[in-house]
Amino acid sequence: MKRIAALALAALLAAPLAADERHRPPPSRRVPPPPAVFDGRHRHDHYYPAPGWVAPVLPGSSIGVTFGDGQFFFHGGVWYRPYGTRFRVVLPPLGIVVPLLPPSYVTLWIGGVPYYYANGVYYAPAPAGYAVVAPPPGADGATPVPPAPPPRPLPEPIYYPRSGQSAAQLETDRRECNRWATQQPGAVSDPSIFERALAACMDGRGYSSR
């Protein structure tokens, strides 16, 4: 009888705990933040996702760049490559050209030539934008100069499908329109031209923006 009573008491005490477990909210499903790496070279002093980190989706307004037989994406000084259905942070290959510099960078004048540095990568002016180059001779001793104030960025638009396009289709259309917009005359030097071209392309594919 004593053993039965003890078991009954234990079950009674465990009942509220079981109820609490049933009503406990599920663990967060948010994507954990990427491991950050501090870049203090040339007094850049910025944090970036570590190379090798895999993002489930690309940041908004990423720029697609085809180089050789590969596809790359660029956003905020960070380069990505497709990795299955996700995207891995990588170092860009030498020679790849991006139409716009990242929002934060360091300007270096070496041998009378301007170079731009951000996130471990050196850029040099190129006909279609800025090419990734090897560290120029004398870079270690170069004194950074403050860049000109960048133009005020336009608010990033939100696109709404007018014909019931899926989220996957929206992402595909956005990447292709991004790539097309960078090829329009003046888009390299004027972000407003790029944004207008992107909006026109997305409108033509059946999306409204706000």
Side-chain angles (χ1 to χ4, degrees), residues 90-157:
V90 298
L91 292 176
L94 298 179
I96 192 171
V97 176
V98 66
L100 300 172
L101 287 170
S104 298
Y105 59 88
V106 173
T107 302
L108 302 167
W109 282 87
I110 303 174
V113 178
Y115 293 88
Y116 308 97
Y117 172 86
N119 193 19
V121 180
Y122 292 87
Y123 301 86
Y130 302 89
V132 174
V133 297
D140 289 341
T143 301
V145 296
R152 184 174 181 180
L154 297 174
E156 185 175 325

Side-chain angles (χ1 to χ4, degrees), residues 141-171:
T143 301
V145 296
R152 184 174 181 180
L154 297 174
E156 185 175 325
I158 300 175
Y159 295 104
Y160 301 90
R162 295 196 296 264
S163 303
Q165 297 96 318
S166 66
Q169 184 62 48
L170 168 60
E171 182 65 17

Side-chain angles (χ1 to χ4, degrees), residues 4-27:
I4 294 176
L7 292 173
L9 179 60
L12 183 63
L13 293 175
L17 178 60
D20 289 344
E21 291 289 344
R22 287 196 302 270
H23 293 90
R24 180 177 296 174

Side-chain angles (χ1 to χ4, degrees), residues 1-51:
M1 289 296 294
K2 290 182 179 180
R3 183 177 181 183
I4 294 176
L7 292 173
L9 179 60
L12 183 63
L13 293 175
L17 178 60
D20 289 344
E21 291 289 344
R22 287 196 302 270
H23 293 90
R24 180 177 296 174
S28 173
R29 295 183 179 178
R30 292 178 299 175
V31 178
V37 175
F38 180 72
D39 181 8
R41 188 175 176 82
H42 301 304
R43 304 177 191 170
H44 186 45
D45 298 342
H46 277 71
Y47 285 93
Y48 293 97

